[in-house]
């Protein structure tokens, strides 16, 4: 069975995929696929240079992701064009990876899984959502970019709405941080052999991490 996992940038889709991978699923991270073919596919490079110019190439004649990102961050049409060009290449590689996998169950994780047309590959699609501030913090930490650029990635409300309606299952995630006054308090919450924290998680449906 193949399932799709989608959600806006910073929603935690990769975390869901990695949990499935740890439990024996095959996992295809479309962002990683994109980065790989960006560095190796000459046809994709030619298409991108044709649209965005030689300025996106570095001294080694490879795609400079930072230069390309600088263009699409500031131009909505440029971002649409980038997606239009790359989606076909990514989908082709994903189909190849599925056919080569020895896993019975496979999860495809992609921010634009619906928009790229990969939904027909999936028996079901899971949408993962998170609040805006959580997404911005995750994007800044993940991509080492400014808050301004992170906000641009996080504010794609239309895409999120499409994913929420088109997905077969939707999970919303929010992270809250609470400072505990002492190690003794931490121990009381966790309980002997983790019994208390497991009970709390079961009753509330909230994942608790005590550090």
């Amino acid at each position: 069975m193949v399932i799709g996992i989608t959600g806006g940038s910073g929603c935690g889709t990769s975390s869901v995929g990695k949990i499935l991978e740890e439990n024996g699923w095959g996992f295809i991270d479309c962002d990683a696929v994109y980065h790989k073919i960006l560095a190796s596919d000459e046809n994709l490079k030619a298409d991108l240079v044709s649209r965005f110019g030689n300025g996106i190439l570095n001294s080694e004649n490879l795609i400079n992701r930072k230069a390309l990102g600088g263009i699409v961050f500031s131009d909505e049409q440029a971002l649409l064009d980038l997606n239009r060009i790359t989606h076909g290449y990514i989908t082709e590689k994903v189909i190849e990876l599925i056919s080569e996998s020895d896993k019975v169950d496979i999860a495809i994780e992609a921010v634009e899984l619906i928009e790229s047309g990969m939904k027909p590959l999936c028996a079901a699609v899971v949408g993962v959502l998170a609040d805006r501030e959580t997404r911005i913090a995750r994007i800044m930490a993940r991509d080492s970019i400014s808050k301004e650029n992170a906000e641009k990635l996080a504010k794609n409300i239309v895409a999120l709405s499409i994913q929420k309606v088109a997905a077969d299952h939707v999970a919303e995630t929010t992270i809250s941080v609470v400072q505990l006054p002492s190690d003794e308090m931490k121990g009381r919450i966790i309980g002997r052999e983790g019994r208390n924290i497991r009970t709390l998680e079961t009753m509330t449906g909230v994942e608790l991490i005590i550090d």
Side-chain angles (χ1 to χ4, degrees):
M1 178 175 70
V2 177
I3 69 166
I5 304 169
T6 190
S9 186
C11 279
T13 52
S14 294
S15 297
V16 174
K18 291 185 185 303
I19 291 171
L20 290 174
E21 186 176 30
E22 290 169 0
N23 285 275
W25 284 60
F27 177 47
I28 300 174
D29 179 344
C30 287
D31 192 45
V33 170
Y34 166 66
H35 290 162
K36 185 174 181 178
I37 63 175
L38 198 62
S40 61
D41 193 305
E42 290 297 321
N43 291 327
L44 174 58
K45 181 172 76 172
D47 285 346
L48 291 174
V49 169
S50 176
R51 166 59 179 85
F52 298 107
N54 289 324
I56 63 170
L57 298 177
N58 62 21
S59 59
E60 298 177 346
N61 204 39
L62 299 174
I63 298 294
N64 183 330
R65 284 166 47 195
K66 187 173 182 180
L68 182 59
I71 295 171
V72 300
F73 272 137
S74 58
D75 185 335
E76 185 176 353
Q77 184 58 52
L79 179 59
L80 292 172
D81 289 344
L82 174 65
N83 290 337
R84 175 182 53 79
I85 293 168
T86 58
H87 282 167
Y89 287 95
I90 295 170
T91 300
E92 182 179 352
K93 186 63 177 179
V94 167
I95 292 172
E96 178 185 325
L97 292 171
I98 292 173
S99 67
E100 293 175 349
S101 177
D102 60 356
K103 299 290 187 179
V104 174
D105 298 314
I106 299 173
I108 304 170
E109 183 267 317
V111 169
E112 297 208 343
L113 186 141
I114 306 297
E115 299 89 332
S116 66
M118 279 192 276
K119 187 179 181 183
L121 300 177
C122 307
V125 175
V126 177
V128 182
L129 306 179
D131 66 88
R132 183 172 178 274
E133 291 305 316
T134 296
R135 294 177 64 205
I136 290 171
R138 287 175 177 171
I139 294 168
M140 290 174 65
R142 182 194 67 200
D143 297 345
S144 299
I145 61 176
S146 67
K147 185 174 182 180
E148 180 183 1
N149 283 336
E151 287 174 339
K152 290 178 181 178
L153 282 175
K155 75 175 184 178
N156 198 346
I157 298 172
V158 174
L160 274 178
S161 299
I162 292 171
Q163 288 156 0
K164 188 166 186 178
V165 172
D168 300 299
H169 308 280
V170 176
E172 300 204 28
T173 63
T174 302
I175 295 177
S176 298
V177 178
V178 178
Q179 299 295 329
L180 298 177
S182 66
D183 288 340
E184 179 185 0
M185 178 65 73
K186 292 179 183 179
R188 291 171 62 187
I189 292 173
I190 295 171
R192 180 175 296 180
E193 298 178 350
R195 292 176 186 172
N196 290 350
I197 195 169
R198 285 199 299 272
T199 300
L200 284 169
E201 288 180 331
T202 300
M203 293 177 64
T204 63
V206 174
E207 180 183 5
L208 300 176
I209 300 174
I210 308 295
D211 185 9

